[in-house]
Amino acid sequence: MMTFFLQTFLLACFVQTKIYRRCELAHVLKKNGMDGYEGYNLASWVCMAFYETGFDTKTIDHHRGGTKDYGIFHINSGLWCRENNSLSKAFCDIACLDLLNPDLEDDIMCAKKIVKGSTGMAAWHQWKKHCENHDMRKWVNGCKI
């Protein structure tokens, strides 16, 4: 139990976090080739990130099965990123804790792998619930992209 608290304290001390603004995130995603990637426009990505994490890079969500979702895109530790002491498949070959910093390049690289899967953006439940088949122009309006 003490180890958990120590890890949590150290994580809070050493992980730089950032809550992106909507247009700021749109520009980062555009710069990294997300507009039109696998047929999904920039607004889809911004919408998904908002409903998954509120654009917060430090977000961690715990699941009943023991896996966690990390970072601005809620990337799951069961399949995509590597946690200490876990049997994750880590298809993105990245440490989960690396998804908690403001640098989104590794997050974007992993999101691209995820969306290439058979379910596309439906891999993100919040995208399916709040973004799919909705008018999403508001997510990039005024962003000068």
Side-chain angles (χ1 to χ4, degrees):
M1 187 67 148
M2 182 63 97
T3 303
F4 172 77
F5 290 117
L6 180 61
Q7 287 175 333
T8 303
F9 174 76
L10 291 173
L11 178 65
C13 290
F14 295 111
V15 174
Q16 283 187 334
T17 63
K18 179 175 177 111
I19 299 173
Y20 276 83
R21 293 180 319 273
R22 178 180 58 88
C23 289
E24 178 185 22
L25 179 61
H27 282 276
V28 170
L29 296 175
K30 176 128 176 121
K31 178 181 151 208
N32 284 278
M34 298 302 273
D35 192 14
Y37 190 79
E38 290 295 310
Y40 296 98
N41 63 27
L42 199 56
S44 286
W45 292 101
V46 175
C47 179
M48 178 272 286
F50 175 78
Y51 283 107
E52 286 290 341
T53 64
F55 306 140
D56 191 343
T57 63
K58 76 176 182 312
T59 303
I60 301 174
D61 189 26
H62 300 259
H63 296 281
R64 266 188 233 137
T67 65
K68 297 176 195 128
D69 293 337
Y70 286 85
I72 200 165
F73 298 130
H74 261 180
I75 294 173
N76 187 267
S77 64
L79 290 174
W80 302 103
C81 63
R82 184 177 52 260
E83 284 187 309
N84 294 338
N85 305 322
S86 84
L87 299 175
S88 171
K89 293 180 170 81
F91 290 128
C92 290
D93 193 29
I94 187 169
C96 296
L97 292 179
D98 288 345
L99 299 169
L100 299 178
N101 62 44
D103 178 5
L104 297 183
E105 287 187 25
D106 46 6
D107 306 62
I108 290 169
M109 176 273 308
C110 190
K112 285 179 175 181
K113 285 186 180 183
I114 294 168
V115 83
K116 277 186 168 263
S118 62
T119 59
M121 285 198 79
W124 287 279
H125 300 291
Q126 296 303 319
W127 177 83
K128 192 156 181 53
K129 182 177 178 181
H130 298 284
C131 309
E132 183 180 36
N133 300 320
H134 288 84
D135 180 3
M136 292 182 291
R137 289 177 285 191
K138 70 178 182 180
W139 295 104
V140 293
N141 277 353
C143 292
K144 298 179 184 172
I145 295 185

